[in-house]
Amino acid sequence: MSVHTLHPERVDEARMHAYSIFAPLLIRSLIQRLAGCQGMRELDKLETSLVRLVEETVIAGPDGEAMKEFAVELIVSTLRNVREHPDAKRDLEEIDNRRTAGHSEIPETLEEQLQSGLEDSFPASDPPAVVSTAITGGSKNIVGTDEVLRRKKAARRRQSETTR
């Protein structure tokens, strides 16, 4: 059913119903895109400005204050969900938040540094491949300690016999 086929008395009702369904979805999608591009600081600024806008809006009618509370609730819950979304861009950590150079105090940053380090070392983290090389020319006789001592003793005996 399109707008043109609606009964004139139902147009406003359908419009308000569409707004109530699609406005939160559109707002969430826009905020997610902003978070993906700009990061958390921009979300904080956006939340502050949206809440201020709702609070400063004058609504005539008996349910005006309740509507404002619902609007603020929608803003806060939407932004919380977007902040928790894995695609949200995290802000770079301030240098003041570091205890020593390169060591973060923020768990999310530590996790990101760990993941980055693991990804950078990926080929080295694989177990080495077993490679066999063949040397031509036959194999050497491997002798133990007893055999080495016996050969040295025999060589000394031969040498002492030749010097006599």
Side-chain angles (χ1 to χ4, degrees), residues 1-8 10-12 14-15 18:
M1 183 180 290
S2 75
V3 174
H4 302 294
T5 60
L6 280 176
H7 190 277
R10 296 213 41 226
V11 170
D12 287 335
R15 177 179 288 121

Side-chain angles (χ1 to χ4, degrees), residues 17-36:
H17 190 68
Y19 288 175
S20 68
I21 290 174
F22 290 107
L25 296 173
L26 296 172
I27 291 170
R28 182 181 176 141
S29 177
L30 291 169
I31 291 173
Q32 280 180 329
R33 286 183 135 279
L34 177 69

Side-chain angles (χ1 to χ4, degrees), residues 23-89:
L25 296 173
L26 296 172
I27 291 170
R28 182 181 176 141
S29 177
L30 291 169
I31 291 173
Q32 280 180 329
R33 286 183 135 279
L34 177 69
C37 297
Q38 297 296 319
M40 295 299 135
R41 277 192 214 111
E42 289 302 315
L43 287 184
D44 294 341
K45 291 177 189 176
L46 178 66
E47 182 175 10
T48 302
S49 66
L50 289 175
V51 169
R52 186 180 317 118
L53 174 69
V54 168
E55 289 173 347
E56 292 173 355
T57 301
V58 177
I59 300 177
D63 299 331
E65 289 304 310
M67 290 172 59
K68 286 182 181 183
E69 287 179 32
F70 288 135
V72 170
E73 179 183 290
L74 176 63
I75 292 167
V76 171
S77 67
T78 301
L79 285 163
R80 182 181 342 105
N81 290 338
V82 169
R83 282 184 183 98
E84 294 169 358
H85 195 275
D87 292 339
K89 181 180 177 182

